[in-house]
Amino acid sequence: MNTDIWSERNESSLKQKIVCAVLAAMLIQLTACSESETDLKNTSANESETSSEKTIDPLEGLNFDGEEFNILYIGNTSTKNLIRADELNGDVMNDAIYDRNIDVLNNLGVTVTYTEASSSTNDCPDRIRNSVMAYEDAYQMGIIHRVDGIADLTLNNYLYNYSELPYIDLDAAYWNKDSMQIMSYHDKMFYGYSKLYPISTFCIFFNKTIAEQCGVGNLYDVVRSGDFTIDKMAEIVKMTAKDLDGNGEMTRDDQFGIAMRNPTILSGFYLSAGINLSENHGDSVELSLYSEKTVDLIDKVLELISDDTVSYMRKSDDLTIRSGQIMFYLDSLDNANGHRDSDVDFGLLPYPKYDKEQDEYISFANPNLQCVPITADKELAGAVIEYMAKHSEGVTEAFYEKTLKGKVAADSDSAEMVDLMMNNYIVDFATNYCGFSNGCTKLYNVLSILLNEGNDNFTSFYYTYAEQAQAEIDAVLE
């Protein structure tokens, strides 16, 4: 055999194999690149679709063709001013609510209407109950008293669970889901807290002139530093009380360190200290008022408010912040407008912390409740309520920034305090569901009752009513 020919053939074959191998490698690389580009395009497309899905408003494109959305509300002036507007009249709150209603009409094709109940706290629950029993879709929403009748509406399934309503996003910032969970019944949320209806909290009005004359210092800075505690407040109360007429007695004509609008407002002292009347565990709710911390706090507050030489607490709403004779006046934010024409230069503060170690200031909210009767059109109710809650910036601005901050708290410091209170408010299950029952009512009003009785034995008082109060809570959950 000619070895040269064999050699040439082998060499040619080898070259062919090398070329084939190179071409194969190139083909694989090109295929991989193509697949990679395809995957990249698909991934980008998927991400784009996901992003697009996230930004889609589920309310967009809805049209209820002129349906009416009727809001039933308790017939008092304060509630009416926060929810109803029939026409523009130049009032900032009224006009903001009216503009929101027009937005609902323009974007959802729904006309917002109203039914005003009587001022009796049980009238709204009675009307809802009667309409449901008659299978009538009379009301699509209720703004009802925080206590009267709410347990009955819950126990007898007269209301929708908010988590069952379409369109509503309870994780959105304009809903207070934490408070709704506190008020939940077996993990069902029948009562809502949202921007749709402005929330008011307990607060303290303070007299700036008295503070300056007595060398109190900048109270806003005291709050900001975390030092506004019950001890600090007691110190200021004592240093600002004065016998103005010099007769050696403290009478209505003198200057006091503290006064209150009504006795129930005293509960704000323990609630702002992070002490709740009850704790909701989902399937059970237990009393949580009693502890060593509570005993200590009650002792400190009673010592302060029972001292008639510095506190004017025996008669509620007799001397107010408007008198110019009170350093600290216990009230709630929704009453701020009642003082806006006063000549007294006053500011707003949250209730004090228990001590400096407490992480943050806590404000107790005592609002009416938002609910949806079970006979309401679910689609309509869910869509309108979500839209109104989501698009209530103007209403919130009118209530807090214009009405409270602009007209009442003209200084930016008090405006900051309003934000502080509104951004960290709490509610309580037993205070609402059992608020008119004997045991829970007694414990909720423990400070005012002990003050009026001249009794400083909190432990004995607590155990007198604790068993009854727990039974009242358990009865709601059965």
Side-chain angles (χ1 to χ4, degrees), residues 10-23:
N10 278 344
E11 184 178 353
S12 175
S13 176
L14 180 60
K15 286 179 180 179
Q16 290 175 355
K17 289 180 179 179
I18 292 174
V19 170
C20 289
V22 171
L23 289 172

Side-chain angles (χ1 to χ4, degrees), residues 120-125 144-151 153 432 436:
S120 173
T121 56
N122 62 9
D123 192 21
C124 278
I144 69 174
H145 187 268
R146 68 178 184 84
V147 175
D148 208 348
I150 70 168
L153 292 180
N432 288 272
F436 288 162

Side-chain angles (χ1 to χ4, degrees), residues 154-441:
T154 299
L155 289 170
N156 291 291
N157 298 312
Y158 291 122
L159 304 175
Y160 272 117
N161 174 6
Y162 267 87
S163 62
E164 295 176 349
L165 292 173
Y167 307 114
I168 289 181
D169 181 8
L170 294 178
D171 293 319
Y174 42 86
W175 288 95
N176 189 330
K177 188 176 181 180
D178 289 341
S179 290
M180 291 175 68
Q181 288 176 329
I182 288 174
M183 283 289 291
S184 65
Y185 171 80
H186 290 303
D187 291 324
K188 295 180 180 179
M189 293 177 282
F190 295 102
Y191 297 105
Y193 300 96
S194 74
K195 297 290 187 181
L196 184 156
Y197 182 80
I199 302 297
S200 176
T201 71
F202 287 2
C203 70
I204 298 174
F205 293 79
F206 78 95
N207 188 311
K208 294 183 181 180
T209 303
I210 293 178
E212 183 177 357
Q213 291 174 345
C214 296
V216 171
N218 190 322
L219 282 174
Y220 299 120
D221 286 341
V222 175
V223 171
R224 293 184 187 108
S225 66
D227 294 336
F228 189 53
T229 63
I230 186 61
D231 289 335
K232 182 64 176 178
M233 185 177 185
E235 174 190 322
I236 296 171
V237 166
K238 293 171 184 176
M239 69 186 290
T240 54
K242 287 187 177 182
D243 178 10
L244 296 178
D245 55 17
N247 66 356
E249 297 180 358
M250 292 297 287
T251 66
R252 192 186 185 284
D253 297 323
D254 294 314
Q255 179 173 294
F256 293 88
I258 188 171
M260 62 181 175
R261 177 170 58 87
N262 63 51
T264 61
I265 211 84
L266 291 173
S267 61
F269 278 113
Y270 66 78
L271 291 160
S272 65
I275 302 168
N276 287 348
L277 179 59
S278 63
E279 186 172 348
N280 193 335
H281 300 287
D283 292 332
S284 66
V285 178
E286 298 176 357
L287 285 176
S288 57
L289 180 63
Y290 193 85
S291 67
E292 290 184 8
K293 175 182 175 180
T294 312
V295 172
D296 181 57
L297 177 78
I298 297 292
D299 287 345
K300 288 182 177 181
V301 175
L302 280 177
E303 180 181 357
L304 175 64
I305 64 178
S306 62
D307 185 351
D308 292 335
T309 65
V310 298
S311 304
Y312 193 82
M313 307 295 279
R314 303 294 181 179
K315 293 183 179 180
S316 61
D317 206 24
D318 186 17
L319 282 180
T320 72
I321 191 69
R322 297 168 63 92
S323 69
Q325 299 166 240
I326 303 298
M327 174 59 197
F328 289 127
Y329 185 67
L330 311 180
D331 205 337
S332 58
L333 281 176
D334 56 358
N335 288 317
N337 274 330
H339 305 304
R340 70 185 182 188
D341 60 346
S342 169
D343 294 330
V344 175
D345 186 12
F346 63 85
L348 297 170
L349 299 174
Y351 268 62
K353 298 194 299 183
Y354 171 67
D355 56 25
K356 294 180 181 179
E357 283 65 45
Q358 183 174 319
D359 291 335
E360 54 192 357
Y361 295 95
I362 303 170
S363 297
F364 179 62
N366 200 18
N368 292 325
L369 302 175
Q370 306 166 34
C371 63
V372 182
I374 196 70
T375 48
D377 182 311
K378 182 188 289 189
E379 289 283 320
L380 175 66
V384 175
I385 290 171
E386 174 68 9
Y387 188 92
M388 293 177 75
K390 185 176 183 179
H391 297 280
S392 288
E393 300 92 343
V395 175
T396 302
E397 180 183 354
F399 181 64
Y400 298 129
E401 296 185 13
K402 293 182 180 178
T403 303
L404 287 178
K405 296 179 182 179
K407 293 183 178 179
V408 176
D411 61 294
S412 60
D413 293 312
S414 277
E416 179 186 343
M417 297 298 109
V418 172
D419 289 334
L420 179 67
M421 288 180 271
M422 295 315 306
N423 289 334
N424 194 35
Y425 71 82
I426 61 163
V427 297
D428 184 86
F429 182 95
T431 301
N432 288 272
Y433 276 96
C434 308
F436 288 162
S437 57
N438 187 62
C440 287
T441 300

Side-chain angles (χ1 to χ4, degrees), residues 8-180:
E8 287 175 4
R9 287 178 177 174
N10 278 344
E11 184 178 353
S12 175
S13 176
L14 180 60
K15 286 179 180 179
Q16 290 175 355
K17 289 180 179 179
I18 292 174
V19 170
C20 289
V22 171
L23 289 172
M26 291 175 65
L27 183 60
I28 292 172
Q29 185 175 5
L30 287 170
T31 302
C33 288
S34 177
E35 290 176 350
S36 177
E37 289 177 2
T38 301
D39 290 342
L40 183 60
K41 289 178 182 178
N42 289 338
T43 301
S44 298
N46 289 336
E47 290 176 351
S48 177
E49 289 174 6
T50 302
S51 175
S52 177
E53 288 173 2
K54 288 180 180 178
T55 59
I56 291 176
D57 184 351
L59 300 176
E60 188 175 346
L62 290 179
N63 191 318
F64 290 91
D65 298 321
E67 288 281 344
E68 289 189 355
F69 181 84
N70 191 20
I71 301 175
L72 171 71
Y73 65 93
I74 184 171
N76 56 54
T77 301
S78 60
T79 302
K80 180 178 181 178
N81 289 343
L82 295 178
I83 193 64
R84 181 166 188 166
D86 297 313
E87 60 184 3
L88 295 172
N89 65 11
D91 178 83
V92 289
M93 268 302 295
N94 176 89
D95 291 356
I97 294 170
Y98 183 82
D99 288 342
R100 182 182 63 188
N101 291 350
I102 295 300
D103 284 344
V104 172
L105 176 61
N106 291 338
N107 290 280
L108 295 179
V110 176
T111 300
V112 178
T113 61
Y114 304 95
T115 297
E116 180 175 314
S118 73
S119 59
S120 173
T121 56
N122 62 9
D123 192 21
C124 278
D126 286 347
R127 288 178 181 237
I128 291 174
R129 186 184 306 107
N130 292 339
S131 69
V132 171
M133 293 294 289
Y135 300 99
E136 295 175 347
D137 183 7
Y139 316 109
Q140 288 69 55
M141 185 178 194
I143 305 293
I144 69 174
H145 187 268
R146 68 178 184 84
V147 175
D148 208 348
I150 70 168
D152 178 64
L153 292 180
T154 299
L155 289 170
N156 291 291
N157 298 312
Y158 291 122
L159 304 175
Y160 272 117
N161 174 6
Y162 267 87
S163 62
E164 295 176 349
L165 292 173
Y167 307 114
I168 289 181
D169 181 8
L170 294 178
D171 293 319
Y174 42 86
W175 288 95
N176 189 330
K177 188 176 181 180
D178 289 341
S179 290
M180 291 175 68

